[in-house]
Amino acid sequence: MKTLADAFEHTLKDIYYAEKAILKAGPKAEKAVKTADLKKAISDHMAETKEQVKMLEGVFATIDVKPAGEKCDAIEGLIKECEGIIEDAQGEALEAAVIGALQAIEHYEIARYGTLREWANTLGNTEAADQLGRILDMEKAANNKLTGIAVSTING
């Protein structure tokens, strides 16, 4: 990478890979939890993630690049952590720890989308900035929903 445009394309491929990996891993988390609100939050976010993948494909189109993922070690580690929690945690710790792991994933996504949105603005790509801003808002809302469930139901 030598230019901001290069960094933008690389990071876009990174988050595209991450979203696809989340789609594969999400059903494990949904299956592992018992609380209805948490199950629904995970299910709803999986539907949003599918929408986000399509939105990212639109962002790729703004830079005339074919949508493709580039392996993201960060998301691989966060997913592995969540899967480890699902295997090891029990009782009341399970759902609390799963929420914590899911929020770590959300925070990663929030950081990536915030960066990409600002880079798109700097590069003068307002269409991409708008799309990335919408996805960023979705990720923040998912994180807030998890916090609400944790505070009102799980951490009780």
Side-chain angles (χ1 to χ4, degrees):
M1 289 181 284
K2 293 184 179 182
T3 67
L4 184 59
D6 294 341
F8 180 83
E9 181 180 334
H10 170 80
T11 305
L12 186 60
K13 289 178 178 180
D14 174 276
I15 197 66
Y16 188 73
Y17 176 95
E19 294 292 13
K20 293 240 179 183
I22 290 165
L23 283 173
K24 289 179 188 169
K28 292 177 192 174
E30 184 182 353
K31 185 178 178 185
V33 300
K34 304 295 181 231
T35 303
D37 287 349
L38 183 53
K39 275 189 174 299
K40 184 170 178 2
I42 295 169
S43 175
D44 289 351
H45 195 56
M46 288 299 96
E48 285 182 343
T49 301
K50 289 176 186 172
E51 183 181 341
Q52 291 167 354
V53 167
K54 289 178 184 170
M55 293 168 77
L56 285 172
E57 290 167 354
V59 174
F60 276 105
T62 70
I63 59 171
D64 295 321
V65 172
K66 181 181 175 188
E70 196 164 294
K71 187 169 188 256
C72 173
D73 292 331
I75 204 66
E76 290 288 331
L78 291 167
I79 289 170
K80 185 176 179 181
E81 179 182 13
C82 187
E83 289 173 345
I85 288 166
I86 290 167
E87 289 176 22
D88 296 339
Q90 299 175 9
E92 67 183 18
L94 174 67
E95 291 191 348
V98 166
I99 287 175
L102 293 176
Q103 286 191 292
I105 292 168
E106 292 302 331
H107 292 187
Y108 175 77
E109 292 176 295
I110 289 166
R112 282 295 190 219
Y113 285 118
T115 296
L116 282 166
R117 182 193 61 197
E118 294 310 310
W119 287 351
N121 278 323
T122 299
L123 293 166
N125 188 340
T126 55
E127 185 180 344
D130 289 345
Q131 286 284 73
L132 294 163
R134 282 195 285 281
I135 298 171
L136 177 60
D137 290 343
M138 293 166 83
E139 298 296 358
K140 288 177 180 179
N143 182 63
N144 288 339
K145 183 180 264 187
L146 289 170
T147 297
I149 292 167
V151 170
S152 68
T153 307
I154 305 301
N155 299 347

